[in-house]
Amino acid sequence: MAQFTKDMTIGEMLQMNPAVAPVLMEAGMHCLGCPSAQGESLEEAAMVHGIDVDELMGKLAELS
């Protein structure tokens, strides 16, 4: 399976592996279907939500 990167959009990540949804929801990103999820990178979204992107990347890496 392909590896996730900080510059991917949430929409791209969901297409690659829908199992990212519960990880993102648990982290506090509840707008998975909003327009920003299609245009913002994971790093940008994490910054907006006050989430440590490196910690989140670690959790997402456990999915692959």
Side-chain angles (χ1 to χ4, degrees):
M1 180 171 284
Q3 187 174 350
F4 300 119
T5 63
K6 294 176 189 179
D7 64 335
M8 294 177 77
T9 66
I10 293 171
E12 290 171 330
M13 296 172 79
L14 288 167
Q15 286 180 331
M16 286 176 56
N17 185 347
V20 302
V23 175
L24 296 176
M25 294 286 285
E26 183 179 304
M29 293 184 176
H30 300 127
C31 56
L32 302 181
C34 76
S36 293
Q38 301 303 315
E40 273 184 334
S41 69
L42 179 66
E43 188 167 33
E44 292 167 331
M47 184 175 52
V48 167
H49 290 282
I51 298 167
D52 182 328
V53 72
D54 293 318
E55 184 179 324
L56 184 56
M57 290 297 296
K59 291 177 182 177
L60 292 170
E62 294 175 12
L63 294 176
S64 51

